[in-house]
Amino acid sequence: MIVNFFKKYYAEIVLCLLLIGVAAVSLPNLTTKPRLWYDEGVNIEFAKNFLDFGKLDIQVSPGIFSQLTVLPQASGYPLSIFLSLFFGIFGFGPVQARIYMLIWMLLALLSVFIFVKKLVGRDLALIVAALIATFASFHDNGRVVMGEIPGFVFLLWALYWFFWKNSYLISGLLFGLAISAKPSVYMSVFPAILVLLILNRKNFWKNSLKILAGILPAFFLRIWFAMPDMLSLVAWKEVINLFRNPFGNDISLTASFLNNLLSIPKTYTILYFGLFFAIILFEYFRYKKKDFIYNQFFGFTITYCFFAFLYYLKSPGWLRYLIAAEFLTFILLVPALKNIFKGRHGKDIFYAVAVSLIGFQIFYLFNYAKIFYSDSEERVINLIDTEFRDKTIGIFDIPEIGVFVDSSRKFQIYRMMGVPSIGKNPILYEPAPEIFIIRANNNEGIDKMLPEEKNIFFKKYYFLRTVGRYNIYSEIIF
């Protein structure tokens, strides 16, 4: 009886072990590897302020919000609202934030398994899930509070409802949630949806309108949360400028495009997936007999990957914009390899190649992956809550620490790439905060100050100590 049960559900059992393995690998260094990061500090700030004040905004001083929510929302409300609810149930802190993301990682693997099982069978679904679970970028991007992984979950379910439920309205809603979760990563879905509808070959206009009707409410909520005053021409001008160049006027899109293009031979991740893409294309055009749904998924993936790659090329070289394209490539790679390795010993070769790829990724994950470790942020947060618990705190452009400072004694400024300063330098308040925290690495924090700000800063504060990657200053008492 037990043997029959294992034979029947072996893939699901192995999947459960895989999910347990991902959790076991992630939990020991959950808040330190990767280190708490700038952008996720912004996202956690949005969620915390929505929980406490009903505002998806940044608090720059006690009771004062930025009113510039459209500018720093790189990830959107599908990430922040659910995180806010999670904080309301389980409490607030970096551990809770990262556990929330670990849940999204496990949901992503479960969704991959269900989707690929429906597409090409459960054996291949298990291999795809294992490839993603052992992929270093899945852990690097997945553990931080960002919209890439939640967006991918919404994307897969949008395709699921499109292919197998023929529910274009729900599919559109899920596409809209994916785009809203991380617009920079999932805006490339739009041309891919168009290709999908063309390949579908039935009721093009009717189905297009249904998908659009599903996308619009999700997109409207994105605009509503990001732009409290949707009738403001100034706000729309800022949005247009941000879309023209989301990386700031100091960065030339043309120069970035050329630099990224020339650096491809030295970018191992691009070469790795370039090889996979070549295998996928070779197999697709060599063995042309394909399932109708598989053909649609292939067209969607190729289109999405092309436009996602173009967006990466105009960026400062940030590979995280390709994370969803990489996951979709894994989904196509496994059945492509299965079809290539046919014949008498083809099955054995296929499984040997698949196991070798998984083994290589495990080895790389534990030995060479650049997932940066730091406990500096938690040490500073602990110091604020103990030694400095009765003092006002000034935070200079460190949202990953500022978000965990009590809102009643927090004064902070953000100087982000591509957007105007948010808040004012804490040294300009009267009275100034009693404790001032700034990045220590090569005077990175102080170098961001204007000359007149530096003069005021050194008149008001003296150096207290260095804690990891941060310098702490105390107010001079005259």
Side-chain angles (χ1 to χ4, degrees):
M1 190 73 177
I2 296 176
V3 173
N4 290 335
F5 176 83
F6 276 99
K7 283 183 178 179
K8 186 176 182 180
Y9 296 107
Y10 73 90
E12 288 77 7
I13 292 169
V14 175
L15 177 68
C16 289
L17 294 175
L18 187 66
L19 298 179
I20 292 170
V22 169
V25 168
S26 301
L27 285 171
N29 297 305
L30 191 62
T31 57
T32 55
K33 190 177 182 181
R35 64 192 180 212
L36 292 172
W37 184 49
Y38 192 107
D39 285 11
E40 72 170 320
V42 176
N43 295 330
I44 298 170
E45 173 92 20
F46 278 118
K48 182 64 165 65
N49 289 336
F50 188 80
L51 175 66
D52 292 344
F53 308 104
K55 294 178 180 290
L56 275 180
D57 200 351
I58 295 164
Q59 184 170 295
V60 295
S61 63
I64 304 299
F65 293 87
S66 74
Q67 304 298 320
L68 297 170
T69 53
V70 68
L71 300 179
Q73 281 201 42
S75 297
Y77 70 88
L79 174 78
S80 303
I81 297 296
F82 289 122
L83 177 57
S84 180
L85 178 63
F86 193 84
F87 285 151
I89 297 171
F90 298 104
F92 175 70
V95 173
Q96 290 90 330
R98 287 287 178 89
I99 287 176
Y100 169 78
M101 291 311 301
L102 179 57
I103 292 171
W104 274 113
M105 290 173 68
L106 301 180
L107 281 174
L109 291 175
L110 181 60
S111 300
V112 165
F113 179 80
I114 294 170
F115 180 86
V116 181
K117 179 183 176 182
K118 194 76 173 174
L119 185 69
V120 289
R122 65 174 182 171
D123 288 356
L124 302 191
L126 188 59
I127 293 172
V128 173
L131 281 170
I132 293 175
T134 56
F135 183 44
S137 293
F138 177 65
H139 295 267
D140 194 19
N141 287 270
R143 292 177 200 165
V144 297
V145 184
M146 300 291 290
E148 287 92 333
I149 302 302
F152 187 70
V153 172
F154 292 129
L155 177 64
L156 278 187
W157 284 105
L159 291 169
Y160 185 94
W161 281 84
F162 185 99
F163 292 143
W164 295 293
K165 298 292 185 180
N166 295 319
S167 181
Y168 302 103
L169 187 66
I170 293 177
S171 179
L173 176 62
L174 290 165
F175 277 130
L177 289 172
I179 296 164
S180 298
K182 187 70 175 178
S184 58
V185 172
Y186 294 104
M187 286 293 283
S188 300
V189 161
F190 281 119
I193 292 173
L194 179 60
V195 169
L196 194 61
L197 288 164
I198 293 170
L199 292 173
N200 195 37
R201 298 202 302 264
K202 58 182 180 181
N203 299 321
F204 175 84
W205 292 110
K206 183 180 178 180
N207 294 339
S208 297
L209 289 173
K210 286 182 179 179
I211 285 185
L212 183 63
I215 288 175
L216 283 177
F219 221 60
F220 176 80
L221 279 176
R222 166 73 182 180
I223 296 171
W224 185 66
F225 279 122
M227 298 176 62
D229 185 3
M230 287 187 286
L231 300 178
S232 169
L233 293 177
V234 174
W236 279 106
K237 185 178 178 181
E238 289 172 342
V239 171
I240 292 169
N241 289 335
L242 192 61
F243 271 94
R244 281 177 180 168
N245 188 351
F247 311 108
N249 294 327
D250 294 337
I251 294 179
S252 166
L253 297 183
T254 303
S256 293
F257 191 94
L258 292 174
N259 288 336
N260 289 329
L261 205 57
L262 293 172
S263 67
I264 286 175
K266 298 179 288 185
T267 308
Y268 296 124
T269 300
I270 300 292
L271 296 177
Y272 189 58
F273 282 93
L275 172 62
F276 294 161
F277 223 75
I279 291 170
I280 290 165
L281 292 174
F282 168 78
E283 184 277 333
Y284 186 82
F285 293 107
R286 174 68 176 81
Y287 306 96
K288 293 185 179 180
K289 189 177 180 181
K290 296 288 189 300
D291 177 79
F292 179 62
I293 290 177
Y294 185 90
N295 280 327
Q296 292 179 82
F297 178 66
F298 178 86
F300 175 91
T301 299
I302 295 297
T303 307
Y304 172 81
C305 290
F306 174 75
F307 283 95
F309 186 66
L310 287 181
Y311 194 91
Y312 157 76
L313 287 177
K314 76 173 187 178
S315 79
W318 296 338
L319 288 167
R320 61 177 178 268
Y321 290 134
L322 296 175
I323 187 70
E326 292 163 349
F327 294 163
L328 291 171
T329 300
F330 276 134
I331 294 175
L332 285 179
L333 174 68
V334 173
L337 289 172
K338 181 73 180 297
N339 285 340
I340 288 173
F341 294 117
K342 288 181 177 180
R344 186 175 178 183
H345 300 293
K347 186 176 180 180
D348 293 338
I349 297 172
F350 165 70
Y351 281 110
V353 171
V355 170
S356 298
L357 276 175
I358 293 167
F360 166 74
Q361 291 195 158
I362 292 172
F363 176 77
Y364 184 84
L365 174 64
F366 287 104
N367 293 281
Y368 295 103
K370 294 179 181 179
I371 303 178
F372 295 107
Y373 173 92
S374 173
D375 65 350
S376 302
E377 293 74 18
E378 287 194 294
R379 288 160 59 194
V380 173
I381 293 164
N382 182 62
L383 201 61
I384 290 169
D385 291 335
T386 54
E387 185 175 336
F388 304 139
R389 64 181 179 275
D390 298 322
K391 296 182 181 295
T392 53
I393 308 294
I395 307 289
F396 189 85
D397 200 35
I398 318 173
E400 61 268 40
I401 289 177
V403 63
F404 298 107
V405 180
D406 185 87
S407 60
S408 64
R409 57 195 184 98
K410 173 172 64 179
F411 300 80
Q412 63 176 338
I413 183 173
Y414 290 3
R415 287 189 171 158
M416 305 170 66
M417 178 182 291
V419 302
S421 292
I422 297 173
K424 67 178 182 180
N425 195 322
I427 62 174
L428 301 177
Y429 286 93
E430 290 295 341
E434 297 162 278
I435 298 295
F436 195 92
I437 301 172
I438 195 166
R439 296 186 194 276
N441 297 356
N442 299 316
N443 289 322
E444 178 185 348
I446 290 176
D447 287 343
K448 280 190 175 182
M449 288 191 188
L450 301 173
E452 56 270 26
E453 291 177 329
K454 291 180 185 179
N455 292 333
I456 297 172
F457 173 70
F458 286 114
K459 287 178 182 177
K460 284 191 174 184
Y461 291 91
Y462 68 92
F463 174 75
L464 194 62
R465 73 184 74 162
T466 296
V467 179
R469 301 169 61 237
Y470 304 96
N471 284 338
I472 300 177
Y473 292 81
S474 183
E475 186 183 22
I476 297 172
I477 305 298
F478 295 99

